[in-house]
Amino acid sequence: MHSKKIIILGGGAAGLIAAEQLSATCQVHIYEKGKTIGRKLLVAGNGGFNLTNAAVDKDLYTQYTKHPILQAALQRFDSRAMRVWLEKLGIPTFVGSSGRVFPEKGIKPIQVLQKIKDRLVTNGVQIHCKHEFIGFDAAQKPLVQHEEKSVSLEADAYIFALGGASWSVTGSNMNWLNYFEQLKVSTKAFEASNCGLEINWNPDFKEKYAGTPLKNIQISIGSKLVKGEALITNYGLEGNAIYPIVPPVRAALKTETATHIALDFKPNNSHQSLLGKLKGKRLKPKNYVYEFNLDKASFALLKAFTTKEEYLAPERFVEAIKHLKIPVQTLRPIEEAISTVGGISLDALNTDFSLKQEANLFVIGEMLDWDAPTGGFLLQGCFSTAMLCADYLK
Ligand SMILES: Cc1cc2nc3c(=O)[nH]c(=O)nc-3n(C[C@H](O)[C@H](O)[C@H](O)COP(=O)(O)OP(=O)(O)OC[C@H]3O[C@@H](n4cnc5c(N)ncnc54)[C@H](O)[C@@H]3O)c2cc1C
């Protein structure tokens, strides 16, 4: 009996899980331009490997771009299903802080990748490394280059899983974008997501406090509020409380003449309760650190971004503690972002993740224009799109 031949271009998170799913019923080939597969997975594993997030149902779906195709993929394969898939592969997981799901202690990222590779090899998936997708031939079949020769690939269907545009050292360099534009597929320019913010610190502040975390703060822009930690860096702010506010900051940078975020250094104390500390006292700035229990970096930041009048008047200083406006210059460059938005528009796809232009070309993972915060949601999004696509092709 003829089984379908499926070619997957790109051996990252999305491509590998699609290959695993399809290998039960199809002949699967992966073409990867690097010497090895799964390099971004290993990078992701370097600083706490969040394979998914324990959030389910609405708590999961609302983390992502509200597009019916993406939402259907998340419903088809959610974080529970992801954990079951990992468990069956021999990768038990546990839920850590803020719902992040990690491989069980002692299982290293390289072992997670090896388990996936072993499964693919057992299931007969053929992996062709050092094969770079370089465009389409006249019949709109993908062309790959290998050792200076280019060949057109023949299959029943082609799945593109070429990644986004950050961390090009891992292989995702967005060079493929114009090949799809030539097919008249709707695309969007790539932009950084889950990245740091650039802030024009004064030199003294930067010298003293770069590398210092701001703990238990709340950051807001518009109606978006995030509690957590941010790291002061040479160029601005980075960290868990920063990444979720990047989408509204990105939007504001495009439309507003000046973009500000607001820091609340005492999110667990109301404005009234802080004002209560002033009763019967004639506070001087030298008393602020003790009375309001501020760490040195927070105090220096408050001093740097308040006017003299605000700084000297305790009531106004309390207002700043609860709502310190800090101007944002720009986002950090795409190259160093944890993820990117942009790429192929979700509107360019049919519900099975095939292109409206070419029904046997499918696109999954971070190549697509969707957004989600860190904490396991990015890999989950890649895996969900891969699973839904594989369902249709099986
Ligand atoms: C520092 C960092 C930490 C992260 N941590 C986490 C985390 O803890 N949890 C989480 O959920 N997400 C995390 N992410 C995000 C996550 O790793 C990515 O969203 C995910 O790997 C994207 O998967 P993908 O398969 O779409 O693309 P990729 O994993 O980028 O794979 C794309 C593959 O396609 C190949 N390719 C590209 N162009 C071509 C071509 N022309 N021809 C052939 N092959 C090509 C590339 O070499 C690559 O192997 C992190 C990302 C970074 C950078």
Side-chain angles (χ1 to χ4, degrees), residues 10-15 31-33 39-40 43-44 48-50 131-133 161-163 167 170-172 337-338 365-366 376-379 382:
Y31 287 84
E32 160 61 48
K33 79 169 181 198
R39 282 168 297 162
K40 196 174 261 181
V43 165
F49 201 9
N50 314 140
H131 282 74
E132 182 170 3
F133 165 63
L162 302 170
W167 284 70
T170 64
S172 48
I338 291 177
E366 211 184 307
F377 296 110
L378 296 165
L379 283 173
C382 293

Side-chain angles (χ1 to χ4, degrees), residues 9-16 31-34 36-52 100 102 131-135 143-144 161-176 179 335-340 364-368 370 373-383 385:
L9 294 112
L16 297 180
Y31 287 84
E32 160 61 48
K33 79 169 181 198
T36 55
I37 54 173
R39 282 168 297 162
K40 196 174 261 181
L41 264 184
L42 294 182
V43 165
N46 264 342
F49 201 9
N50 314 140
L51 287 164
T52 181
R100 290 155 194 259
F102 299 88
H131 282 74
E132 182 170 3
F133 165 63
I134 52 161
L143 277 169
V144 288
L162 302 170
S166 70
W167 284 70
S168 56
V169 66
T170 64
S172 48
N173 61 6
M174 68 175 152
N175 283 354
W176 48 265
Y179 308 136
E335 172 59 19
E336 64 184 60
I338 291 177
S339 66
T340 49
I364 57 174
E366 211 184 307
M367 279 180 86
L368 296 169
W370 55 271
T374 53
F377 296 110
L378 296 165
L379 283 173
Q380 179 65 50
C382 293
F383 292 142
T385 57

Side-chain angles (χ1 to χ4, degrees), residues 42 63 70 85 98 136 162 170 174 201 204 248 301 322 325 331 343 385:
L42 294 182
Q63 300 293 333
L70 184 62
W85 185 84
S98 48
F136 294 96
L162 302 170
T170 64
M174 68 175 152
W201 301 134
D204 282 354
L301 200 50
K322 291 298 289 172
K325 280 176 84 180
L331 301 179
T385 57

